[in-house]
């Protein structure tokens, strides 16, 4: 059992609610069958989750498809308001994105992972440039994460789960240590 799964406790139903919401977001809408199949629950249970979330305004239904409700915008705004430094970071990202023509990200560390917070695209930026706002990435598996790690003591590397995120992910601690030292340089 992975360390992450070992740490998971709490109320299974609450976790399932968030699993339903994650699937609705990732698939850009879900059906009762999608939920039943993906979460390995009965169709009636999937129906109960979906209709309850619809009743409280977190999902909206169009025919048999359920989508995230606009109510989530309030949570996104509230989360961004907590980051009082965004007002100073955003213009700098815009300036350098326009100057370089590329896409630039601001990634923050939260609970030991990188979270994409702001993206600004320059005129030459590729359509698919990486993560999406709010998406997580392991610190050892992204350039921004490595910059974050380079500003921390080496002992921090011992705390990381070096699971592969892509085929190119560094999963060897000594190789990662050398890469972080190179970033520092």
């Amino acid at each position: 059992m992975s360390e992450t799964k070992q740490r998971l406790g709490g109320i299974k139903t609450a976790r399932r609610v968030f699993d339903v919401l994650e699937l609705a977001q990732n698939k850009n809408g879900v059906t009762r069958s999608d939920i039943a199949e993906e979460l390995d629950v009965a169709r009636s249970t999937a129906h109960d989750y979906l209709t309850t979330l619809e009743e409280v305004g977190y999902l909206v239904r169009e025919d048999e498809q359920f989508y995230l409700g606009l109510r989530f915008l309030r949570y996104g705004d509230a989360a961004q308001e907590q980051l009082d430094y965004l007002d100073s970071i955003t213009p700098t990202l815009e300036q350098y994105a326009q100057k370089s023509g590329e896409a630039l990200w601001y990634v923050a560390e939260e609970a030991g992972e990188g979270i994409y917070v702001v993206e600004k695209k320059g005129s030459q930026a590729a359509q698919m440039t990486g993560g999406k706002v709010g998406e997580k990435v392991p610190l050892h598996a992204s350039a921004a994460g490595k910059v974050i790690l380079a500003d921390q003591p080496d002992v921090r590397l011992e705390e990381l789960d070096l699971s592969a995120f892509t085929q190119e992910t560094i999963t060897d601690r000594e190789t990662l240590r050398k890469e972080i030292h190179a970033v520092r340089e």
Side-chain angles (χ1 to χ4, degrees):
M1 185 181 297
S2 77
E3 181 182 327
T4 303
K5 289 197 182 212
Q6 287 175 345
R7 287 185 286 160
L8 294 179
I11 301 169
K12 186 176 180 181
T13 302
R15 283 196 195 290
R16 287 290 184 165
V17 166
F18 286 101
D19 290 342
V20 170
L21 294 171
E22 287 284 327
L23 283 170
Q25 186 265 320
N26 290 339
K27 291 179 164 270
N28 194 25
V30 289
T31 64
R32 206 174 21 174
S33 297
D34 293 332
I35 297 301
E37 183 179 312
E38 293 279 339
L39 300 182
D40 193 27
V41 297
R43 284 176 54 95
S44 60
T45 302
H47 174 80
D48 290 345
Y49 279 116
L50 291 168
T51 56
T52 300
L53 287 164
E54 179 186 25
E55 286 171 12
V56 295
Y58 290 99
L59 291 179
V60 294
R61 183 189 328 204
E62 291 181 21
D63 298 318
E64 295 303 311
Q65 197 84 6
F66 291 81
Y67 301 91
L68 292 183
L70 296 179
R71 187 169 186 185
F72 279 105
L73 293 173
R74 186 176 83 196
Y75 293 101
D77 283 345
Q80 284 191 333
E81 285 175 17
Q82 293 177 44
L83 305 175
D84 54 1
Y85 51 81
L86 281 185
D87 289 342
S88 61
I89 289 172
T90 303
T92 303
L93 280 176
E94 285 177 357
Q95 176 186 356
Y96 283 102
Q98 292 312 313
K99 192 174 188 175
S100 69
E102 299 297 332
L104 299 178
W105 279 99
Y106 176 74
V107 175
E109 181 180 4
E110 181 180 76
E113 297 182 288
I115 306 289
Y116 291 98
V117 178
V118 178
E119 177 190 31
K120 294 297 173 185
K121 289 184 180 180
S123 59
Q124 304 301 311
Q127 289 289 29
M128 295 300 288
T129 60
K132 295 179 179 179
V133 170
E135 195 169 82
K136 296 181 200 179
V137 64
L139 292 175
H140 72 288
S142 71
K146 290 173 186 169
V147 170
I148 290 169
L149 290 171
D151 192 45
Q152 298 180 2
D154 279 353
V155 69
R156 179 72 171 84
L157 300 179
E158 301 306 319
E159 301 169 2
L160 299 175
D161 170 9
L162 299 183
S163 297
F165 189 67
T166 68
Q167 290 181 343
E168 303 299 318
T169 304
I170 296 173
T171 58
D172 174 71
R173 212 164 297 283
E174 190 54 38
T175 304
L176 179 61
R177 189 179 324 281
K178 288 177 184 174
E179 176 118 347
I180 297 303
H181 283 279
V183 170
R184 284 182 186 138
E185 294 296 318

